[in-house]
Structure formats: structure tokens, C-alpha cells
Amino acid sequence: MLTISHISKTFYSGTGDEKLALNDLSLHLDPGDFVTIIGSNGAGKSTLFNAICGSFLTDSGSIVLDGEDITFAPEYQRARQIGRLFQDPMRGSAPHMTIEENLALAAGNGGWFSHVGKREKQLFRDRLRLLGMGLEDRMRQPVGLLSGGQRQALTLMMATFHPPKLLLLDEHTAALDPATAEKVLAITRDTVAQDRITTLMVTHNMHQALELGNRTLMMDSGRIVLDVKGENRTKMSVDDLLDQFKAGAGKTLDNDRILLA
């Protein structure tokens, strides 16, 4: 489904701020894989997502999605096949448009520029009802008036309205309170499972990294230092994860945000 081969990326090359952000990284995902990723700030997690989405071109290597080489494809073309959620709930939807208009855009109906018929409205209402947040009764409300959790759940629904080939979740619950984060994670789990969407999810929570999905990666200095799945992952504890990180990275994980989570 997704094959990343030996990609590297250096920012500010030749200057005092030179930064090797991705270091000869390779990764393969099978269809339906749900992979969690953990790593300290600067490990390359979001940079990897940006490379996949085409926010920049890598210095070397290739990216193949569902048999199509997208290494040099522009970002807007990749967006047709890749869904993405960010940490900031304010990204991914249009705040001054209503819930209905945002969903019309996600459905490909042109938002406020086109008429949304009774059939489409009922479809939107039925989909919103599954979120369990009462948004089906607020379809004419601007999205900017929603809470962070409501907006993130709506953004997830928009990103998967037509199931993408690949879904990228970049700490999409980190800015939410614990109870709301759990609800959005439950919606995420159900959505991914229902449509068997191939998914990469960055998290700072090591318990989530081991409990969600079927595979866990740990990154450090732009490379993957741990890739665990199957029975080995099922039996793994957080302490085991830390030990494996130390063995792969050659140092102890010292990120307080991850450790305290």
C-alpha cells in the first residue's frame, strides 16, 4: 500500500542551521495497517508526514502509494488520496462556513456554491449522529463556534467522508482534554476499522502507541529505531518499549511529555 524507500531530507543545507530531518528512512505498510509512531520532538515524525503529503520534495529516495510513484507529485494531487489531521483542531475545516457547508466540500458538492438537497442533508445528519455529539442538530452553525473536540471529530469525518488510501493523524488528540481525547480516539478507532483505512498515527502517549492499531514505530534523529508488531507487540510493556528505544537509538528517551503521559 505504502512503500517509502531510502528517503532523506536536509533543511538549511550549507548553513549553521543545517538539519538532517530524515535519514535514509524506509518503511512499508500493508493495506489496512494501523501504525502508531512515537518519538521526541525533532525525531522526524511530522517531517515524515510532510514528505508523504508532498509539502516538500525529499533529497533522495522514493514514495509509492498503492502502486503509484508519488515522489514528485504536487501536494494537491496527493491530497486526493491522503487524509490528514493535525494537532490543532482549528486546521482542516473552514471556521466561517457551517457544518453543512464543510461537509458539502468534503463530499465534493462545492460547499456554499452549490445546492445541498434533502438526500445530502439526511446523509450528513446520519453521519454526524454517529459521532454522538449532537452535531446533527446544528448543521447550520459555523464550525468556528464548535469546541475543539467537536471540531476535531468533524475534521476526521471530513477527511474520511470518501475513505482515503492513507490517513495521517499527527497527534490529533494532543490539544484536547483527556475525556474528549478518549472520545475522539474511539471515533478514530471505529472509523479506521469500518473502512479498513491504512493509517499512520503520531502520539506522545506510549500506552496508546501499544494499544491502538497493529504496529508501533519509534523514531529518533530522522530514522526508525524500532518497528514492532504481532505477538512481540502484544506482550510489550511501556518499560519494554523504553528499553527497546535505548537499544535502537543508543540513548535513553528523555522527553518529559512522553514519559509523563
Side-chain angles (χ1 to χ4, degrees):
M1 164 53 73
L2 175 68
T3 300
I4 298 172
S5 301
H6 302 287
I7 61 170
S8 294
K9 181 64 180 181
T10 298
F11 292 105
Y12 312 115
S13 182
T15 73
D17 295 323
E18 182 173 304
K19 168 68 174 178
L20 178 60
L22 295 174
N23 184 5
D24 194 33
L25 186 149
S26 295
L27 174 65
H28 176 77
L29 269 61
D30 290 324
D33 270 350
F34 186 166
V35 181
T36 57
I37 307 177
I38 198 163
S40 300
N41 291 338
K45 307 179 301 296
S46 294
T47 307
L48 172 61
F49 279 15
N50 287 336
I52 294 171
C53 288
S55 300
F56 55 78
L57 296 181
T58 57
D59 298 330
S60 59
S62 64
I63 302 172
V64 177
L65 179 62
D66 196 23
E68 178 187 354
D69 190 335
I70 61 171
T71 307
F72 300 105
E75 188 170 12
Y76 75 90
Q77 287 185 359
R78 303 190 202 193
R80 298 168 185 166
Q81 308 177 72
I82 301 171
R84 186 175 184 180
L85 268 72
F86 298 87
Q87 180 176 333
D88 184 357
M90 301 299 108
R91 302 180 67 176
S93 56
H96 301 298
M97 293 170 57
T98 66
I99 293 174
E100 181 181 294
E101 288 168 343
N102 272 270
L103 288 174
L105 282 177
N109 292 333
W112 71 89
F113 289 117
S114 69
H115 174 70
V116 178
K118 289 184 178 180
R119 181 179 178 182
E120 288 79 17
K121 288 183 180 181
Q122 188 59 51
L123 174 61
F124 296 162
R125 192 171 288 111
D126 291 343
R127 293 276 190 104
L128 288 167
R129 189 174 292 112
L130 295 176
L131 300 180
M133 294 182 168
L135 298 182
E136 66 273 13
D137 298 319
R138 301 166 62 184
M139 286 175 44
R140 302 307 298 270
Q141 186 174 32
V143 168
L145 298 181
L146 301 181
S147 69
Q150 290 170 334
R151 191 160 175 176
Q152 200 68 308
L154 176 65
T155 303
L156 176 62
M157 179 177 165
M158 291 172 62
T160 59
F161 197 94
H162 298 295
K165 292 182 178 180
L166 179 67
L167 179 63
L168 305 178
L169 306 172
D170 196 350
E171 294 198 79
H172 69 304
T173 63
L176 308 178
D177 65 83
T180 304
E182 284 298 320
K183 185 160 191 173
V184 172
L185 277 177
I187 294 170
T188 301
R189 187 186 297 111
D190 292 344
T191 300
V192 169
Q194 177 180 321
D195 294 313
R196 293 196 74 248
I197 302 172
T198 305
T199 302
L200 282 168
M201 186 184 89
V202 171
T203 177
H204 66 273
N205 187 305
M206 288 188 287
H207 290 285
Q208 289 178 3
L210 290 173
E211 292 170 0
L212 291 170
N214 65 307
R215 183 176 170 191
T216 297
L217 307 178
M218 292 193 79
M219 291 186 64
D220 180 66
S221 301
R223 58 195 180 97
I224 296 171
V225 298
L226 175 67
D227 184 351
V228 60
K229 57 185 175 181
E231 187 176 355
N232 290 336
R233 181 177 183 264
T234 302
K235 294 179 178 180
M236 185 172 282
S237 67
V238 169
D239 287 339
D240 294 332
L241 198 60
L242 291 171
D243 289 341
Q244 292 281 354
F245 176 86
K246 184 176 181 179
K251 62 182 179 182
T252 301
L253 182 67
D254 59 359
N255 184 282
D256 289 341
R257 184 183 178 203
I258 295 176
L259 295 175
L260 292 174

